[in-house]
Amino acid sequence: MAEILGDGSVQHLVFLLGAVVALLGAGFFVGRRSVATTGKAAVSKFGNDAAILKLVVEHAHEGLMLQDIYGRIEWSNPAYSRITGYSADEIRGRRPQEFILTPENQLSENEIESFRFDLSKFQSGFDELILNKRKNGEYFWNQLTYAVVEGDTLEDTKIILICRDVTSQVEHMRELEEARNKLKLQAERDDLTGVANRNKLNSFLHERASTRQDEPGLIGIIHCDLDHFKDINDSHGHSAGDTVLCHAAEVLKTVLRGKGLVARIGGDEFIAVVSDPAGPQQMETLGKEILEGLSRPVKVDHQTLSVAGSVGLVLADGSKTGVSELINRADLALYAAKKSGRRQIAWYTDALGAAHRHRRMTMAQLDTDLENGGLTLLLEPQFDLVRERIVGYEASAYWLHPTEGLVDPVSLLSSQEDLKRFAQIERFALSRGLVEVKFLRDTSDLPLFLSVNLTAASIKEPGFLTWFTQLCDDHQFDCRDIVIELDESIVRLDEPDGLVSSLGGLTDFGCQIALDMFGSGHGGAGQLIHLNADRLKLSPGLVKGLAPGSKQHRLVQAIIRLTKNLGLVVSAAGVKTPEQIDMLEALGCTIIQGEAVSAPLSPREAEIHLQDFSKNTRLLRRGEV
């Protein structure tokens, strides 16, 4: 406990007070000895010094006590009696060890009787903090400072003790220490699950890595998250989600058996650090145990929820691999596990790291081109089978990949991680597409429409609607001639604040809404009703397998019949052959696009193609365009 008072202003104050009182006390007792020797008090210009010293020590707040070399009390001041509860008469001739020690610190009679001050230890200025007991049984913290008054012989040597009741200070410092420890614990623990948080994980890994500098060894990392955890929150509520997270934390702690650290680093992601892993086989075993534990059903409010997870594994030399690199490798391993089908275990490999570095460089170049407008616009013509002419263009942004040539940049992105990039690509396609289609309208005098594929990254972006309407106003392009295409895979009707609710502003301005890629296996007929769409575009997959009398043919026929009854315009993408054109036209499809009309074109190519196309319309039926 002594270290509690070992720093801060309290210690300095106590020390200074003790030093002053000790000097005064020593002077007082030396004065007493001088009086005894000379027979009268020494007189100075200030008067009777011994009387002044006597007045000081008797009115001091600190307890003063004079002991002989064997610890027997010869004198004490009133303050000592106030502190301990014992009068001077009760303790004179006794040793403090006989009456002031707490039971747990009590000495035997022989130890007390044989006590003698060790002057090599108990020198002037020596101090200690001891838990003592008052006469009424109350415990208090006693700060003792020793002063030695040396006599002519060892027997004549006296010990002065300055006693201070510092109980309130000790309790205050203890409260502060407990508060600091509590704050530290809170700063290092996840409030929900009780396991470590990211801050504690980082410090733990830094400690492990630093100990490995002199003694190389392996560090094992297990990174796991829960598959489709968002669905649990959405379907059963956040309370159920919290229960599942606590279940996951318990699984990891149980599997590690205290030999490492378990941390929740955010959302449904956990990292376990394995202390001194035996090797890959042990890591594989731990990973399998975690997956097995996570898959056990979780009961929430009389419901049984099925849970599953994915696991990424890392085994690295802690002396050669930095903390951030370890966590980055764990991220990559987990990503590989989820990409391989979830409920899987995947290892970090050098090849995985190389691929990540290549992607990072590719994304850096893409970001530069996105900021500088370094994308390429392509326009794909849409042909009306009834009016037998081109009626619009689908505008798409392409990017010149450093090694793969012109690619669709969207194919390089993750829908969860690259929302900003999605929005930049879509804004480019919309703004440049509008300019180029406006030019084609003006030069051809045809009421061409612009079709653009958008996602929630743009539609739900703050300020998008203002930007969009200003764009149309600036180029005098009627919003009613813009078709917003939505991939059926991103339209979630069970999200009250999702994409569908964000489309109101666009439809209010007259934009048409098309459900794109219909029939690719992600949506259903319910989307046609709740989306309030104007158009439907059949996916290339449906068109590809189209053959007379086939199930695909009957399915397309049913889809077109349904959409016609709902008053929607039906189009088809990926049309390549005259036979497909004939079948789609017979089934009631109105608009087609694909190689049968034209591959995507640059704006200047689209201008030439549009000028020549009216001459070649008949050839379209024979596949000669």
Side-chain angles (χ1 to χ4, degrees):
M1 183 63 70
E3 63 270 14
I4 294 179
L5 296 177
D7 56 359
S9 58
V10 173
Q11 189 270 344
H12 292 102
L13 179 61
V14 168
F15 177 78
L16 291 173
L17 288 173
V20 171
V21 174
L23 290 172
L24 290 173
F28 170 65
F29 290 108
V30 170
R32 287 185 60 185
R33 179 172 295 182
S34 176
V35 170
T37 303
T38 62
K40 60 181 179 179
V43 179
S44 71
K45 63 181 179 180
F46 296 107
N48 191 330
D49 290 350
I52 294 174
L53 291 174
K54 182 175 184 296
L55 186 65
V56 170
V57 297
E58 288 185 350
H59 288 81
H61 290 291
E62 287 79 13
L64 292 174
M65 181 171 57
L66 178 68
Q67 295 176 271
D68 64 16
I69 196 68
Y70 299 105
R72 290 185 289 264
I73 300 172
E74 296 184 354
W75 174 90
S76 63
N77 71 342
Y80 186 80
S81 296
R82 289 196 301 271
I83 292 172
T84 63
Y86 293 96
S87 68
D89 293 337
E90 287 180 290
I91 61 175
R92 188 177 297 114
R94 302 174 66 187
R95 296 179 175 89
Q97 295 93 326
E98 298 177 28
F99 59 86
I100 203 168
L101 296 181
T102 58
E104 54 269 25
N105 296 322
Q106 190 64 54
L107 302 177
S108 66
E109 291 184 6
N110 289 336
E111 289 175 317
I112 295 174
E113 190 62 32
S114 62
F115 176 81
R116 190 174 77 168
F117 280 106
D118 181 359
L119 296 184
S120 65
K121 174 183 178 183
F122 294 96
Q123 298 177 353
S124 294
F126 175 79
D127 68 306
E128 62 180 338
L129 183 67
I130 301 177
L131 185 63
N132 284 164
K133 183 178 68 172
R134 308 187 209 275
K135 183 178 180 179
N136 64 6
E138 182 181 87
Y139 285 16
F140 72 101
W141 284 101
N142 195 358
Q143 179 78 36
L144 300 175
T145 301
Y146 296 83
V148 179
V149 182
E150 295 184 2
D152 296 333
T153 65
L154 185 62
E155 297 293 326
D156 293 334
T157 297
K158 305 300 180 183
I159 310 297
I160 303 172
L161 266 73
I162 300 96
C163 308
R164 308 169 196 85
D165 182 355
V166 293
T167 304
S168 60
Q169 293 97 316
V170 170
E171 290 178 349
H172 178 63
M173 295 302 292
R174 178 185 288 165
E175 289 173 359
L176 289 177
E177 186 69 19
E178 290 176 352
R180 280 196 295 265
N181 291 335
K182 184 176 181 180
L183 288 173
K184 182 180 179 183
L185 185 64
Q186 290 175 343
E188 294 180 341
R189 294 290 167 185
D190 175 55
D191 291 337
L192 175 63
T193 62
V195 299
N197 61 15
R198 184 181 284 274
N199 289 335
K200 177 61 177 177
L201 170 68
N202 287 333
S203 63
F204 183 82
L205 284 174
H206 277 295
E207 291 172 6
R208 298 289 297 173
S210 62
T211 59
R212 293 293 188 235
Q213 296 300 320
D214 299 326
E215 182 185 350
L218 295 176
I219 291 181
I221 307 288
I222 302 175
H223 189 186
C224 75
D225 74 354
L226 304 178
D227 296 338
H228 305 298
F229 176 71
K230 185 177 183 299
D231 292 342
I232 294 176
N233 271 336
D234 292 344
S235 301
H236 303 281
H238 288 282
S239 177
D242 290 347
T243 301
V244 170
L245 291 174
C246 291
H247 163 73
E250 285 300 319
V251 168
L252 267 73
K253 289 194 295 184
T254 301
V255 170
L256 250 64
R257 303 176 184 90
K259 297 179 180 179
L261 178 82
V262 175
R264 180 185 174 210
I265 61 173
D268 61 331
E269 290 188 65
F270 294 84
I271 280 185
V273 182
V274 183
S275 299
D276 301 316
Q281 186 57 50
Q282 182 199 20
M283 295 289 292
E284 289 264 6
T285 300
L286 293 175
K288 291 177 181 177
E289 290 179 4
I290 289 173
L291 288 184
E292 182 180 348
L294 291 177
S295 65
R296 288 196 293 269
V298 180
K299 290 186 177 180
V300 180
D301 297 333
H302 308 294
Q303 299 183 74
T304 300
L305 304 181
S306 296
V307 184
S310 301
V311 167
L313 301 178
V314 176
L315 197 59
D317 186 340
S319 64
K320 298 179 180 178
T321 311
V323 171
S324 59
E325 176 61 19
L326 283 171
I327 295 177
N328 183 56
R329 290 182 180 185
D331 284 338
L332 296 177
L334 177 62
Y335 179 76
K338 298 174 79 68
K339 194 174 180 181
S340 64
R342 301 179 184 269
R343 303 195 183 199
Q344 301 293 322
I345 295 175
W347 278 95
Y348 170 82
T349 63
D350 290 340
L352 198 62
H356 172 69
R357 289 189 293 273
H358 180 265
R359 170 178 166 77
R360 189 167 55 192
M361 289 187 293
T362 301
M363 290 297 103
Q365 183 60 54
L366 174 60
D367 287 338
T368 300
D369 289 341
L370 287 175
E371 293 297 330
N372 299 332
L375 298 180
T376 298
L377 181 76
L378 295 183
L379 300 172
E380 186 172 2
Q382 298 190 0
F383 180 78
D384 190 309
L385 293 171
V386 177
R387 289 178 283 182
E388 293 193 335
R389 66 174 178 84
I390 293 175
V391 290
Y393 291 88
E394 179 176 353
S396 301
Y398 283 78
W399 178 55
L400 188 59
H401 191 282
T403 58
E404 299 177 14
L406 207 60
V407 300
D408 177 3
V410 171
S411 65
L412 306 175
L413 305 181
S414 164
S415 59
Q416 298 298 320
E417 303 168 0
D418 297 307
L419 295 181
K420 180 181 178 182
R421 293 185 178 116
F422 271 105
Q424 288 176 295
I425 292 168
E426 291 165 5
R427 284 202 179 200
F428 173 86
L430 183 54
S431 59
R432 286 290 301 277
L434 186 145
V435 170
E436 296 298 343
V437 171
K438 175 68 164 55
F439 176 80
L440 293 175
R441 287 167 62 128
D442 293 343
T443 56
S444 67
D445 199 26
L446 291 174
L448 303 169
F449 64 79
L450 168 67
S451 179
V452 179
N453 202 300
L454 298 184
T455 66
S458 291
I459 297 172
K460 297 177 69 175
E461 184 182 28
F464 172 77
L465 188 60
T466 301
W467 173 85
F468 172 75
T469 54
Q470 186 63 50
L471 178 70
C472 293
D473 289 342
D474 290 344
H475 295 283
Q476 298 181 343
F477 201 104
D478 194 331
C479 292
R480 290 173 293 183
D481 290 331
I482 296 178
V483 178
I484 304 300
E485 298 191 1
L486 305 174
D487 190 317
E488 71 164 11
S489 64
I490 68 170
V491 179
R492 292 285 303 274
L493 302 178
D494 57 347
E495 295 178 346
D497 60 343
L499 181 63
V500 175
S501 63
S502 301
L503 291 171
L506 291 172
T507 55
D508 288 344
F509 279 101
C511 291
Q512 300 182 59
I513 304 299
L515 189 60
D516 191 18
M517 298 295 289
F518 193 84
S520 57
H522 297 284
Q527 292 178 326
L528 300 176
I529 301 172
H530 296 283
L531 187 59
N532 194 24
D534 303 285
R535 296 167 177 262
L536 179 143
K537 184 186 288 186
L538 300 173
S539 71
L542 278 180
V543 174
K544 182 179 179 180
L546 202 58
S550 66
K551 291 183 179 180
Q552 197 109 334
H553 188 276
R554 292 195 295 273
L555 175 60
V556 171
Q557 184 180 37
I559 293 172
I560 293 176
R561 184 182 299 118
L562 172 63
T563 53
K564 289 286 187 180
N565 289 336
L566 294 174
L568 277 65
V569 176
V570 183
S571 62
V575 181
K576 295 182 178 182
T577 67
E579 291 77 18
Q580 291 173 340
I581 296 175
D582 293 339
M583 283 186 286
L584 288 168
E585 185 176 22
L587 291 172
C589 180
T590 305
I591 298 172
I592 61 170
Q593 67 184 82
E595 294 178 11
V597 180
S598 173
L601 304 166
S602 70
R604 301 291 70 83
E605 290 173 336
E607 181 183 1
I608 297 171
H609 179 268
L610 181 60
Q611 292 172 356
D612 295 339
F613 195 80
S614 58
K615 305 173 186 177
N616 301 326
T617 302
R618 291 189 304 276
L619 299 179
L620 176 67
R621 303 292 183 168
R622 301 202 301 267
E624 298 178 18
V625 174

